[in-house]
Amino acid sequence: MKLSALQQSYLGRRSNSFRSSGPLDSSSDGAFKSPAAVFWLVLHGLSCLISLLLGFRFSRLVFLLLSTSSTYTSPFHSPTELAKTLDIRSVIPADPVGNVPLPFPNKTATNSRVVVGRHGIRIRPWPHPNPVEVMKAHRIIERVQTEQRLQFGVKDPRKIIVVTPTYVRTFQSLHLTGVMHSLMLVPYDLVWIVVEAGGVSNETASLIAKSGLRTIHVGFSQRMPNSWDERHKLETKMRLRGLRIVREKILDGIVIFADDSNMHSMELFDEIQNAKWFGAVSVGILANSANIDETVVEKRGEEENPRLPVQGPACNVSNMLAGWHTFNTLPFAGKSAVYIDDRATVLPRKLEWSGFVLNSRLLWKDGDKPEWMKDIDTLDGDIESPLDLVKDPSVVEPLGSCGRRVLLWWLRVEARADSKFPPRWIIDPPLEVTVPSKRTPWPDTPPELPSHEKPVIGIQEPIIKHTTKTRTSRSKRRSKRKHDETRTDRRTTGFDKTLQN
Amino acid sequence: MLVVVGFVFIALGFAWSITAERNPRTERISGSAGDVLEDDPVGRLKVYVYELPSKYNKKILQKDPRCLSHMFAAEIFMHRFLLSSPVRTLNPEEADWFYTPIYATCDLTPTGLPLPFKSPRMVRSAIQLISSSWPYWNRTEGADHFFVVPHDFGACFHYQEEKAIERGILPILRRATLVQTFGQRNHVCLNEGSITIPPYAPPQKMQARQIPPDTPRSIFVYFRGLFYDVNNDPEGGYYARGARAAVWENFKSNPLFDISTEHPTTYYEDMQRAIFCLCPLGWAPWSPRLVEAVVFGCIPVIIADDIVLPFADAIPWEEIGVFVAEEDVPKLDKILTSIPPHVILRKQRLLANPSMKRAMLFPQPTLPGDAFHQILNGLARKLLHPKSVYLKPGEKILNWTAGPITDLKPW
């Protein structure tokens, strides 16, 4: 857009300085050359040479020195500004004025501090982030966000009481760590009631102790059975046990059932604050569709949203509870998992407990609670679904914009029944050597491996060509290090396993 | 008796508590002119709109409809607003202010930037027309007339600051009130009684890109724009008086500063997730960034020495924004992190005030408290015209032949 500022001002100044030379130049084409004309011609040539040699900026300065006052029109290009051009990046607090001793001109007529023209670009000596400032800024950000949450978030947040049934098994670490981290991020007060099948164990206790949350860890005498049906029933009993603890300790807040294998979103905890007595949210059902038959899927009847793996409340047009979405189990009929370590799909119940939240006052012995809530002491044994806790299922409040937002996901994944894992996932005693480090099948060293390695080599050989360089460098590094053989072996074992996958 | 007294006290206390109750999210804005953002100018002034031939306004707009959406569109929308506003009067005898609808900033290059070279001639020819067809110009030599000149340096009609200063304000406009976006203290192009206004920013576009207010503000400092104007000032030092280049050189590696020259599609959304938005000067000290920052609740960090911000007498900018001197740019991170959190929260509360946001916008159709009304409020505050502006018959103050020769050519 703007014509080159530099060029224009330069041209302007040049034309001003050498306005006189113009007509003389044209006249010099004519007759004899007067000494004045010759003089100007020589001066012109000299200035051209100087410009060529010194470059634009220096030559401008030289001309300024030569032709100080009259021909110089703009009073705003003070020589101090030009002096600043000599050191573009002036460092604070260096004073650039003292460089060139030139007469100090007058600034703009109205005594403004602001001068038009070229300025230096100020850079501080260490233009990198200062860690103290960064920490202060983060604290400011936190404060602003807390304020935002106070203004736009939930008013008067209630305590959240989480009931989780669990038991010790290989995947417990995986599942429970996930739930634990989600709960640690919840910005409200929290009580975590962990009911463990098979009694209280150090395994679980050490896991949940890392959370720093307030936990109530109780044991349940029965062990977890091996079939999914039985397991669901036992889990229901364990949850009731948790609810009884709420009643005994007269905890006040919102009770949510967090199964240890589920994944919760943070918005869930904000949304359940809106529950008055008994709320329901939509649960995404992530059934591992290992062997699903496509043709069976096509034959499904006319359901609303037939393919959505969601369980939860359904509303009518006026946003009142009209019914329930359940997960369609027809495609899996006859092919679902029965035992915990089956490879088939694990199916959820009709309505999962994790999709329901209740006000803890419903569980108290006395106090004002609606009459549609059954007393949990009278219940025992077979409660199919959480709706059995209430006499009238229509009192349930749909949450998450009437069930349209899925706020948590249900998943069931377990290891084989006979899988073992090191207690607390600390390996002690060290593992057995599977592939000795000095005898790994790198291409340089001939493969002198014990006989039980041979099936392993067969898979690795085609890969050897691609990753030659990295492997040799790694082996060299390893042999240099003086570690226990066990540690290197463990690493090779791990490396081995990744290749096999 | 005591019961009655007690009742009265209770009632008074109740009433006091109601009036003293403040919305905790926003705060009232009181500038040096008082709580004037919500003032209604209707009834306080009368404006007469001159009927100029359409070559001064409509035809220009027809030639280039881009003028309706660029940042200088305030002149066009002001005209439209005044035509249908209750402050308009058809009787010039009772008018307090006279408005001349000239679209002087609508001569655009192919890339959309206005060329101001013909504007002085256009304004001259318009004023010659109104001074010959109506007696009101000659009565005061324009002292009760106002013009909307939203160009870079206002009525100096040039985009280059040195040239603009050389020209100064157009001589025939020197007695009129200028409604302009440019404002810098002790600058030739800002007249004593001028009204500074915000540049035009499209209100519908900004309203359409709002995100939920509970989205946490996670960006500390945000800026998108040029640091070096490679076409006109490649080495830096002229553009923005070196301030933008200094911001880049000092903070390009700082994770708190989300600054770059890219044009993201989520520009408006990002501003709503930022706590501070930089508003440094460019070739001129003003920019639409200020308007965007105010609308999106991001505290503006103004890096422009001696700048005069829009409606400076009505809006207490010191309390709303952060002012950083250009020489302090290398210490910008220290300055921003040393602001106490309660001050930051207070600034955010002031920004959240809807009257603040409305005062920066030019919505169509007009809303109470918007920028049009603030301009009229400003004009109303300048009434009554002192007796001295009315000239005796035959008296002439303005020099009609002043200025470069090229300006005197007819348009």
Side-chain angles (χ1 to χ4, degrees):
Chain A
M1 163 208 171
K2 303 192 188 281
L3 303 172
S4 168
L6 285 170
Q7 268 197 355
Q8 271 208 335
S9 49
Y10 176 58
L11 286 170
R13 223 168 294 117
R14 284 219 53 184
S15 61
N16 287 337
S17 306
F18 297 105
R19 213 183 293 133
S20 44
S21 67
L24 283 171
D25 273 343
S26 52
S27 67
S28 65
D29 293 339
F32 67 97
K33 294 193 166 90
S34 66
V38 172
F39 171 68
W40 280 114
L41 201 58
V42 167
L43 195 60
H44 194 119
L46 209 61
S47 0
C48 285
L49 265 173
I50 294 177
S51 305
L52 254 169
L53 292 171
L54 295 181
F56 161 62
R57 258 180 271 122
F58 286 102
S59 59
R60 195 170 63 165
L61 196 58
V62 169
F63 294 137
L64 177 66
L65 285 168
L66 290 177
S67 59
T68 37
S69 54
S70 56
T71 53
Y72 194 60
T73 53
S74 171
F76 310 115
H77 289 273
S78 67
T80 51
E81 299 311 319
L82 283 175
K84 277 188 199 159
T85 67
L86 292 176
D87 47 328
I88 300 177
R89 287 143 197 250
S90 58
V91 179
I92 282 185
D95 182 22
V97 182
N99 279 353
V100 181
L102 288 168
F104 200 79
N106 45 336
K107 294 220 169 82
T108 63
T110 44
N111 282 334
S112 164
R113 289 185 306 130
V114 181
V115 185
V116 184
R118 192 164 201 172
H119 288 66
I121 301 174
R122 296 180 169 87
I123 304 181
R124 62 190 195 198
W126 180 247
H128 294 296
N130 181 349
V132 175
E133 309 299 335
V134 174
M135 281 320 296
K136 273 200 235 175
H138 279 293
R139 260 174 248 131
I140 291 178
I141 295 177
E142 265 176 48
R143 181 71 190 86
V144 168
Q145 288 184 358
T146 331
E147 185 69 27
Q148 273 185 286
R149 219 177 293 133
L150 281 175
Q151 283 186 5
F152 301 106
V154 181
K155 308 271 180 286
D156 299 326
R158 292 175 279 175
K159 182 161 37 182
I160 302 199
I161 304 162
V162 185
V163 175
T164 303
T166 183
Y167 71 106
V168 177
R169 73 258 193 219
T170 311
F171 274 45
Q172 184 201 30
S173 237
L174 174 87
H175 294 316
L176 214 52
T177 313
V179 175
M180 190 169 74
H181 287 173
S182 305
L183 296 181
M184 282 160 77
L185 282 176
V186 173
Y188 312 111
D189 285 334
L190 204 114
V191 175
W192 194 12
I193 302 179
V194 180
V195 185
E196 188 174 351
V200 173
S201 72
N202 284 338
E203 192 72 33
T204 320
S206 63
L207 257 179
I208 62 180
K210 291 184 208 162
S211 66
L213 301 166
R214 183 179 156 205
T215 50
I216 301 174
H217 187 186
V218 290
F220 202 75
S221 47
Q222 269 177 276
R223 293 186 62 84
M224 198 54 99
N226 215 21
S227 76
W228 284 108
D229 270 340
E230 299 290 319
R231 205 186 136 170
H232 285 299
K233 289 200 184 114
L234 187 64
E235 277 180 9
T236 311
K237 288 196 193 139
M238 288 159 72
R239 290 187 191 106
L240 285 178
R241 175 84 177 83
L243 292 182
R244 272 186 211 108
I245 295 178
V246 173
R247 162 182 279 210
E248 281 161 33
K249 298 201 190 258
I250 318 184
L251 296 175
D252 186 18
I254 304 175
V255 181
I256 166 176
F257 300 101
D259 294 347
D260 62 357
S261 54
N262 290 355
M263 179 54 67
H264 312 87
S265 71
M266 286 298 112
E267 290 84 13
L268 170 71
F269 299 101
D270 294 328
E271 187 61 31
I272 58 178
Q273 297 281 352
N274 297 333
K276 212 159 155 292
W277 287 113
F278 201 103
V281 292
S282 288
V283 183
I285 302 292
L286 304 174
N288 184 17
S289 45
N291 293 324
I292 185 165
D293 189 356
E294 283 304 321
T295 55
V296 180
V297 170
E298 301 297 320
K299 282 184 205 152
R300 274 197 237 197
E302 289 89 47
E303 271 181 55
E304 289 178 27
N305 306 323
R307 288 177 187 273
L308 287 185
V310 171
Q311 240 186 35
C315 290
N316 58 14
V317 186
S318 51
N319 278 348
M320 305 285 291
L321 183 67
W324 298 92
H325 284 306
T326 55
F327 186 61
N328 188 352
T329 55
L330 282 180
F332 305 97
K335 287 185 281 204
S336 67
V338 176
Y339 294 100
I340 286 188
D341 47 3
D342 278 354
R343 280 189 66 207
T345 321
V346 181
L347 292 180
R349 304 275 93 186
K350 274 282 168 198
L351 285 173
E352 279 293 324
W353 280 81
S354 38
F356 291 87
V357 294
L358 21 135
N359 192 334
S360 65
R361 286 170 201 238
L362 289 172
L363 303 164
W364 292 356
K365 281 203 189 59
D366 20 275
D368 53 339
K369 52 181 187 183
E371 77 289 345
W372 42 255
M373 182 70 186
K374 294 185 195 164
D375 193 346
I376 53 172
D377 277 340
T378 59
L379 301 168
D380 209 4
D382 288 327
I383 306 190
E384 249 311 301
S385 88
L387 289 180
D388 290 338
L389 286 174
V390 295
K391 295 176 194 152
D392 176 20
S394 64
V395 298
V396 178
E397 306 150 35
L399 299 173
S401 27
C402 216
R404 281 192 284 274
R405 290 177 61 192
V406 175
L407 298 170
L408 71 153
W409 296 272
W410 176 97
L411 174 69
R412 285 277 187 263
V413 144
E414 295 296 344
R416 290 163 52 115
D418 60 345
S419 75
K420 292 191 183 34
F421 67 98
R424 298 197 202 179
W425 287 97
I426 295 174
I427 299 179
D428 181 32
L431 296 174
E432 288 182 7
V433 174
T434 317
V435 178
S437 63
K438 288 249 157 73
R439 301 234 151 79
T440 43
W442 308 149
D444 295 349
T445 59
E448 300 158 12
L449 296 160
S451 54
H452 70 267
E453 249 68 80
K454 292 228 174 77
V456 172
I457 299 175
I459 304 171
Q460 288 173 350
E461 262 176 4
I463 314 174
I464 287 176
K465 285 181 198 144
H466 300 300
T467 55
T468 316
K469 287 198 182 116
T470 52
R471 283 208 218 157
T472 46
S473 58
R474 239 182 256 168
S475 71
K476 280 188 193 138
R477 257 189 289 135
R478 275 212 209 111
S479 50
K480 277 187 199 153
R481 272 192 241 133
K482 297 191 173 86
H483 280 292
D484 318 340
E485 220 185 29
T486 46
R487 284 198 65 182
T488 47
D489 285 338
R490 202 180 312 132
R491 215 166 282 137
T492 35
T493 330
F495 190 58
D496 223 60
K497 286 216 174 77
T498 53
L499 288 175
Q500 280 174 351
N501 286 345
Chain B
M1 172 60 187
L2 281 172
V3 171
V4 173
V5 170
F7 187 69
V8 167
F9 268 124
I10 292 171
L12 277 176
F14 194 55
W16 176 82
S17 67
I18 287 182
T19 50
E21 179 195 355
R22 284 191 152 62
N23 185 352
R25 289 187 206 173
T26 68
E27 271 191 37
R28 283 188 77 81
I29 296 173
S30 328
S32 53
D35 291 355
V36 292
L37 282 182
E38 288 138 39
D39 273 358
D40 190 11
V42 175
R44 292 170 59 201
L45 80 164
K46 295 233 171 285
V47 177
Y48 178 73
V49 182
Y50 284 122
E51 290 278 331
L52 286 185
S54 59
K55 71 169 182 172
Y56 291 100
N57 32 54
K58 288 211 189 64
K59 285 228 182 89
I60 299 182
L61 184 57
Q62 271 169 358
K63 258 192 271 178
D64 200 339
R66 284 179 298 178
C67 293
L68 277 174
S69 49
H70 68 176
M71 54 180 155
F72 309 100
E75 55 184 6
I76 303 174
F77 290 118
M78 191 67 191
H79 183 202
R80 292 188 183 179
F81 164 73
L82 282 172
L83 284 176
S84 53
S85 157
V87 304
R88 181 192 186 188
T89 167
L90 297 168
N91 178 8
E93 290 300 326
E94 59 168 13
D96 302 306
W97 286 100
F98 294 84
Y99 172 64
T100 324
I102 317 174
Y103 300 168
T105 329
C106 204
D107 180 16
L108 303 185
T109 65
T111 49
L113 296 158
L115 292 172
F117 302 120
K118 294 198 199 136
S119 311
R121 290 161 51 199
M122 196 199 301
V123 174
R124 243 185 105 78
S125 115
I127 293 181
Q128 271 167 344
L129 183 63
I130 59 176
S131 62
S132 51
S133 315
W134 289 277
Y136 309 103
W137 177 271
N138 293 326
R139 206 169 54 167
T140 58
E141 292 237 290
D144 53 357
H145 289 58
F146 72 93
F147 294 83
V148 182
V149 279
H151 195 244
D152 286 12
F153 289 97
C156 292
F157 290 123
H158 209 281
Y159 48 77
Q160 227 183 306
E161 191 165 2
E162 298 149 354
K163 287 276 161 61
I165 293 177
E166 253 183 74
R167 299 172 124 268
I169 297 184
L170 202 62
I172 36 175
L173 288 179
R174 293 226 174 122
R175 279 172 66 87
T177 296
L178 296 170
V179 178
Q180 57 188 54
T181 49
F182 170 75
Q184 189 172 313
R185 283 191 280 277
N186 297 327
H187 197 278
V188 177
C189 296
L190 181 69
N191 230 352
E192 188 53 48
S194 299
I195 297 178
T196 26
I197 61 170
Y200 176 74
Q204 300 92 335
K205 252 200 233 173
M206 294 204 279
Q207 304 293 4
R209 309 283 220 104
Q210 303 237 323
I211 60 177
D214 58 347
T215 316
R217 287 187 186 263
S218 47
I219 303 174
F220 192 60
V221 176
Y222 188 77
F223 175 75
R224 288 288 183 273
L226 292 177
F227 299 103
Y228 292 93
D229 187 350
V230 245
N231 297 323
N232 301 307
D233 176 33
E235 290 159 339
Y238 280 98
Y239 181 54
R241 296 197 274 270
R244 285 196 186 196
V247 168
W248 175 249
E249 297 299 337
N250 280 298
F251 301 111
K252 59 187 173 195
S253 60
N254 196 322
L256 298 172
F257 283 67
D258 187 353
I259 55 180
S260 96
T261 49
E262 282 185 12
H263 276 282
T265 44
T266 54
Y267 178 60
Y268 288 149
E269 287 85 350
D270 289 342
M271 269 196 157
Q272 294 171 72
R273 293 198 301 116
I275 300 184
F276 290 106
C277 288
L278 292 185
C279 302
L281 72 160
W283 287 109
W286 58 270
S287 96
R289 277 188 189 85
L290 183 71
V291 178
E292 289 160 358
V294 168
V295 169
F296 292 129
C298 180
I299 301 177
V301 179
I302 295 148
I303 308 174
D305 287 344
D306 284 349
I307 188 175
V308 176
L309 288 175
F311 308 127
D313 51 348
I315 299 180
W317 286 107
E318 284 285 340
E319 295 178 32
I320 294 175
V322 179
F323 287 81
V324 177
E326 288 165 30
E327 57 182 6
D328 288 335
V329 166
K331 296 185 266 175
L332 189 59
D333 59 346
K334 200 183 297 195
I335 295 173
L336 292 180
T337 54
S338 58
I339 304 177
H342 68 90
V343 172
I344 295 181
L345 292 176
R346 173 153 191 270
K347 287 188 202 274
Q348 290 189 323
R349 278 198 299 271
L350 284 168
L351 282 169
N353 195 336
S355 59
M356 177 76 201
K357 295 189 207 277
R358 244 178 291 138
M360 289 282 117
L361 293 173
F362 293 92
Q364 289 92 42
T366 183
L367 294 170
D370 63 10
F372 301 115
H373 291 89
Q374 303 304 331
I375 297 174
L376 292 178
N377 281 333
L379 289 169
R381 285 197 286 275
K382 289 186 76 177
L383 297 175
L384 301 159
H385 296 297
K387 288 277 181 261
S388 51
V389 303
Y390 291 99
L391 304 175
K392 302 179 200 49
E395 186 185 348
K396 280 214 167 291
I397 298 184
L398 290 181
N399 181 356
W400 281 73
T401 51
I405 299 188
T406 46
D407 281 0
L408 301 176
K409 283 193 232 163
W411 184 74

